[in-house]
Amino acid sequence: MARVINGTTTPPQAAVDMERVKWSAQAPEQASKGADGVKNYLAVDAALRAVVFAAGAAAVAVMLTSKQSKMIHISPTMAIPLDANWNQSPAYIYYVAAYSTACLYSIITGVSSVLTLKKRGDVSTKMQFHLAILDSMLLSIVSTAVGAALAVAYIGLRGNPHSFWKEICNAYGSFCHHLSASITMAIIATSALLLLVWLSYYRLLKKIASR
């Protein structure tokens, strides 16, 4: 049966051929858009992992150099040297361990993503699922670490009169400045990791929806 296109009668075979031509013309354009989307996703993913590594490494480095020694008067006529150091608090030890793990993790996952891209052109759905789960687990670890560090740092800054804990930042100013800078970097790393988790699940949902 003939088909009317733009006021002219077209044979059935010609109509089918025209549909194939249209589809073949649109296919490369759609493939190009898909490739651009994958590249954009991988670029953002790599950038966020680089931020996690850089901010996490800075947080650890500043914390490790936070030691301060000072002569503290224990009586009107006697003063003894006392140190303020990060390894005196279990919360800070956990904090350093958590963000050191985050730095190592960001290096491993960043390299594996680049290698996978070179071999396949895109991250597989299975690997994307594993990355999403691991990113979420690491986010929970670093979130608890920065929360614990903030709690101890606040006590050092303000003290706790109900428990008779005195503030130390009035005596160990340099130590507290290191803590403040380190925790700021840690919050940046945690925020980047949160964005990375959202991006991982978004990409995973798009892969599942396209099937």
Side-chain angles (χ1 to χ4, degrees), residues 52-66 86 92-104 178 181-183 185-186 189:
V52 172
F53 169 75
V60 172
V62 174
M63 179 63 77
L64 293 178
T65 57
S66 62
W86 66 274
Y92 292 150
I93 295 174
Y94 173 53
Y95 171 89
V96 170
Y99 281 93
S100 298
T101 303
C103 291
L104 179 62
H178 275 74
S182 178
I183 292 174
M185 292 294 102

Side-chain angles (χ1 to χ4, degrees), residues 34-203:
D36 291 341
V38 171
K39 290 180 179 179
N40 293 335
Y41 160 75
L42 291 173
V44 175
D45 182 88
L48 288 174
R49 294 187 189 280
V51 171
V52 172
F53 169 75
V60 172
V62 174
M63 179 63 77
L64 293 178
T65 57
S66 62
K67 181 179 178 180
Q68 183 182 4
S69 298
K70 197 166 184 180
M71 299 296 295
I72 302 297
H73 289 276
I74 59 175
S75 70
T77 59
M78 182 180 296
I80 59 174
L82 291 177
D83 296 335
N85 201 353
W86 66 274
N87 58 14
Q88 296 171 344
S89 170
Y92 292 150
I93 295 174
Y94 173 53
Y95 171 89
V96 170
Y99 281 93
S100 298
T101 303
C103 291
L104 179 62
Y105 171 81
S106 61
I107 293 175
I108 295 174
T109 54
V111 172
S112 63
S113 297
V114 171
L115 293 178
T116 303
L117 177 63
K118 289 183 177 180
K119 290 181 180 180
R120 303 178 183 176
D122 192 8
V123 180
S124 65
T125 304
K126 183 177 180 180
M127 182 177 180
Q128 189 70 58
F129 175 75
H130 290 160
L131 285 175
I133 295 298
L134 291 174
D135 290 345
S136 300
M137 291 176 59
L138 185 64
L139 177 62
S140 64
I141 292 173
V142 297
S143 297
T144 56
V146 74
L150 275 171
V152 177
Y154 182 82
I155 293 175
L157 178 64
R158 300 294 184 183
N160 190 336
H162 300 288
S163 302
F164 302 101
W165 294 342
K166 294 183 178 180
E167 67 276 7
I168 64 169
C169 288
N170 55 349
Y172 295 94
S174 177
F175 175 74
C176 290
H177 289 156
H178 275 74
L179 293 182
S180 176
S182 178
I183 292 174
T184 300
M185 292 294 102
I187 292 174
I188 294 175
T190 305
S191 300
L193 189 57
L194 175 60
L195 294 176
L196 194 58
V197 169
W198 289 347
L199 182 65
S200 296
Y201 281 108
Y202 173 74
R203 182 63 179 170

Side-chain angles (χ1 to χ4, degrees), residues 122 125 203-211:
D122 192 8
T125 304
R203 182 63 179 170
L204 184 61
L205 288 174
K206 287 196 68 175
K207 279 178 170 289
I208 296 175
S210 62
R211 290 190 170 186

